[in-house]
Amino acid sequence: MVSHEFSSIHRPPAVLALEDGTIFRGRAFGALTESGGEVVFNTSMTGYQEVLTDPSYYGQIVTMTYPLIGNYGVNEEDVESKRIQVAGFIIKEPSRLYSNWRGGVSLEEWMMSQNVAGLCGIDTRALVRKLRNVGVMRGVILPGEGGDDAVGKARAVPSMAGLDLVKAVTTGEPYDWNQSLHALHKQTLPDGIERAPFRVVAYDFGIKQNILRNLAERVSELHVVPATASAEDVLAMKPDGVFLSNGPGDPEPVDYAINSVRGLLGKVPVFGICLGHQILGLALGGKTYKLKFGHRGANQPVKDLDTGKIDITSQNHGFCVDADSMPGDGVRVTHLNLNDNTVEGLEDQAKMCFSVQYHPEASPGPHDATHHFDKFIDLMKKQGG
Amino acid sequence: MPRRNDIHKILVIGSGPIVIGQACEFDYSGTQGCKALKEEGYEVVLVNSNPATIMTDPETGDRTYIEPIIPEALERIIEAERPDCLLPTLGGQTALNAAVSLADLGILEKYNVELIGAKMPAIQKAEDRELFKAAMASIGQEIPQSAYVRNMQEALDAIDEIGFPVIIRPSFTLGGSGAGTAYNREEYEETVRWGLECSPVHTILVEESVLGWKEYELEVMRDLADNVVIICSIENFDPMGVHTGDSITVAPAQTLTDKEYQLMRDAAIDIIREIGVETGGSNIQFAVNPEDGRMVVIEMNPRVSRSSALASKATGFPIAKIAAKLAVGYTLDEIRNDITRETPASFEPTIDYVVTKIPRWAFEKLPGANATLGTQMKSVGEAMSIGRTFKESLQKGLRSLEIDRYGLGCDGKDKFVFHDPAHPRYRKASDPVVREEIEKKLKIPNPDRIFYIRYAFQAGYSLEQVFDLCKVDPWFLANVQEIIMMEDELRAIKDDVQPLISS
């Protein structure tokens, strides 16, 4: 428990400038530094630590719709990568004191130690309404009063469509992963998950560690390769299955990965999540498009079209697979989002692949969809291991 | 699944008279449920002994009986009306108990009335502490260590096992009546005796005390296709030991990480499935040890509860209405969300504000009543408020109580004034009488505790000292402290408010 003086009105000023000319005036939170990115919002009421370390948020300034953030501090376990990935963080009210048995450091100290800019004390609801109405926008957090060129700086932030952000977050070198789920998460798994004797190769497009933990919980060998690994490289590793990870931004410019996946299809079971799902969709001949304000939160209802079951899912994506673009030869849409009927899952049985747009690994979010990892194991079993 | 067409007439039991522990929240849920059933074209037969309810308005049901909620009267109504089914989950514990009696007496079977919403085995599993304990063990959920006793000798054997302090909970009672906490042998014997008397089945549960632990509640909904959603999480300002109905409660939960919240969510889903509540809402309470995060299940209400009303208003998800529709066969994805009107009810509300519920007591009308708060509910109502911060909603809630306060301080109504020696109620912060009173009021839960937390901070107690005395989570205490800090800042600049306006 660390307490600072109650000082919100004494914090130095800072602003958020948006490309449409709007300026939100608030107070600095975290590092006093200038930072630009695509401004998006997340509706999860818990899990800010996981959100901040999710590489899919690379290049984005994330606003939390829940107003009170930092309440339980930051701990060593609940991270999704080695560092904070967001370009900036916007909240209504930072907690002066954190209270949780696992909390080790305050959110603000953590952000400062990693030089991540934040903004607090603005009307985040007004900002979110604007993003919902207008769509996501480029923006910049600036310490101080902003100055005349604030909006110009927001407009100078590169647009996300057409940008390959995967290169910035993928691993440089291949590595092996062994760590299974944290005790707290494992507690809720059905008993008797055994490590199947499978070798899985996971493409790192900005992979969340909880995906690796979920896979390592279920398979004996897990190798992570850079996004640029070719199909030949991967097949040479003789995998029983290939996993396509989540990652930031637009899938279309990640053409090298789309090509690699084409080379894997039909040869080995493939499972994709989020960006991995979009890349699979593109490799199968479909198209993707940008959503107005994306899906970012932990309460998205998804319906399994085969069983009628509904999972409440964790999501984080700004792009989406176009259902109408999918070629009619074997690929089918397996899951739909009940809020806006967008594609949430694909499957091509002949090509031994399936994918989901949402996050079965949760973290943050509900565990309803964990069964997809087991489905991947079953698919590998069916192929004779 | 579409609505059931094999049933036409549904009997709904109300909650009867308003008593402490069961107020008009069940009129709210019952009315909402009846409207939903009528909307679907079912014939609704309604029984409630309390005519001062919206529910008994002629347009709410097709047939309304103002009769006592006792098996004899209910049997006559069933005989005359021949309903196809009985929905017992909207009228609080009274309706649920009445349904249990009707089932036990064979009346439901005799007239071929089907229980919908919750079946008998589910009600028994949730309400009978021994069955509940076994059910939790079977799904790997911890509950506080406990023993189920039927007489004093068994009670004395049990206490040797468990050790003090313990909580005594009689089976099948209303608003926790007959319940109590015992710190020593003398208190224990007294509470056991009273508890055995209060329980209609003369059984009580003696339970490991989790006093001072953090208390949480989840509102859960399930449909016939086994879809489960969590409507709302609630964190109690007052730690374990104070009945939820007497606690200041806050939605959503404030101090759980996502990992811990999901653990609780998973537990809640496992619990509603294991207990077997087929459709509708349930309320599940948890306690969490602030030292190490150990989570135990406290109880489950297999029905619409007091907290459901709060959760409905807090999130905009009409729990009773949806529960009624689920009971007649709809699934969550087939029901529209009332707020968006476009998306289905199979979602989990997420909010961008804080909801605070503050109980309202009326001890001034009950001279001689013991105003100490414990496991038996004593409040007679509540105020709910919404704010963008906890501080804002707490202040609005306190102002809404109609106790002649304008919030936490700054209203000239404080009992102790520490900052102004000229004030008629000025007291020195070092005054031992004042300090004794503050410490007592923090230690022993009472209706004024929130105000005494403020006095404690003003009298110079540190956050750690206040926490040690009252065990209210430091996060909440820090927020209370911030209200006082703002008050001090305002006082310091009372002659020149410009710095505040420009900031």
Side-chain angles (χ1 to χ4, degrees), chain A residues 58-308:
Chain A
Y58 184 82
Q60 290 176 322
I61 293 174
V62 179
T63 307
M64 300 304 283
T65 56
Y66 189 67
L68 309 181
I69 300 292
N71 301 6
Y72 51 78
V74 170
N75 61 60
E76 285 181 359
E77 293 169 336
D78 299 352
V79 289
E80 286 304 320
S81 68
K82 286 177 187 151
R83 58 187 178 89
I84 298 179
Q85 301 281 354
V86 303
F89 198 39
I90 300 174
I91 59 178
K92 165 108 175 96
E93 184 182 271
S95 189
R96 181 175 60 96
L97 170 148
Y98 67 87
S99 172
N100 185 278
W101 59 286
R102 293 193 302 144
V105 60
S106 78
L107 171 63
E108 181 152 32
E109 287 167 307
W110 187 53
M111 283 173 61
M112 280 174 161
S113 72
Q114 300 202 28
N115 200 35
V116 176
L119 177 70
C120 67
I122 68 160
D123 183 351
T124 48
R125 186 183 281 174
L127 172 59
V128 170
R129 274 177 182 262
K130 184 174 270 293
L131 297 177
R132 281 184 64 105
N133 292 335
V134 181
V136 292
M137 276 185 271
R138 291 165 294 163
V140 62
I141 295 175
L142 301 165
E145 303 296 343
D148 297 338
D149 57 345
V151 174
K153 282 179 174 168
R155 288 177 184 154
V157 173
S159 175
M160 198 152 265
L163 206 61
D164 176 11
L165 294 174
V166 168
K167 276 195 170 128
V169 292
T170 185
T171 177
E173 294 298 321
Y175 61 91
D176 295 342
W177 183 275
N178 219 330
Q179 187 198 82
S180 56
L181 288 166
H182 293 321
L184 262 177
H185 191 152
K186 209 183 274 194
Q187 227 169 306
T188 64
L189 282 178
D191 297 332
I193 288 192
E194 272 177 35
R195 280 187 168 171
F198 292 138
R199 179 183 301 145
V200 167
V201 173
Y203 268 96
D204 175 9
F205 303 132
I207 197 163
K208 282 171 71 186
Q209 290 184 349
N210 219 45
I211 291 177
L212 294 172
R213 294 179 200 118
N214 263 291
L215 289 170
E217 189 76 35
R218 292 169 174 84
V219 299
S220 56
E221 242 183 279
L222 179 56
H223 306 288
V224 185
V225 295
T228 50
S230 67
E232 294 72 38
D233 291 346
V234 169
L235 289 172
M237 296 167 83
K238 298 205 181 316
D240 297 300
V242 173
F243 176 78
L244 311 175
S245 89
N246 65 298
D250 188 347
E252 269 186 48
V254 198
D255 47 2
Y256 48 94
I258 300 165
N259 280 330
S260 304
V261 174
R262 268 193 208 115
L264 295 167
L265 288 176
K267 294 175 184 149
V268 61
V270 173
F271 171 33
I273 287 178
C274 198
L275 186 75
H277 154 86
Q278 295 161 4
I279 285 173
L280 180 67
L282 291 167
L284 286 166
K287 287 194 168 60
T288 54
Y289 62 98
K290 195 172 197 306
L291 294 165
K292 191 175 174 190
F293 50 82
H295 298 165
R296 294 177 190 87
N299 68 336
Q300 297 272 340
V302 169
K303 188 166 185 168
D304 181 329
L305 298 178
D306 291 333
T307 64

Side-chain angles (χ1 to χ4, degrees), chain B residues 19-21 245-246 359-363 373 377-382:
Chain B
V19 295
I20 294 178
D246 279 346
R360 171 71 153 91
W361 294 271
F363 289 111
L373 304 179
M377 182 171 155
K378 293 180 177 177
S379 68
V380 294
E382 58 200 30

Side-chain angles (χ1 to χ4, degrees), chain B residues 275-300:
Chain B
I275 296 298
V277 174
E278 279 186 335
T279 68
S282 285
N283 156 272
I284 306 174
Q285 294 173 21
F286 298 90
V288 171
N289 187 337
E291 302 289 321
D292 59 10
R294 184 182 152 213
M295 179 179 88
V296 296
V297 183
I298 299 301
E299 68 168 10
M300 186 230 210

Side-chain angles (χ1 to χ4, degrees), chain B residues 226-257:
Chain B
D226 195 26
N227 294 307
V228 184
V229 293
I230 310 294
I231 306 308
C232 188
S233 65
I234 300 172
E235 180 164 344
N236 288 14
F237 176 94
D238 296 280
M240 287 297 296
V242 178
H243 192 280
T244 305
D246 279 346
S247 296
I248 297 176
T249 64
V250 181
Q254 299 295 331
T255 61
L256 290 177
T257 64

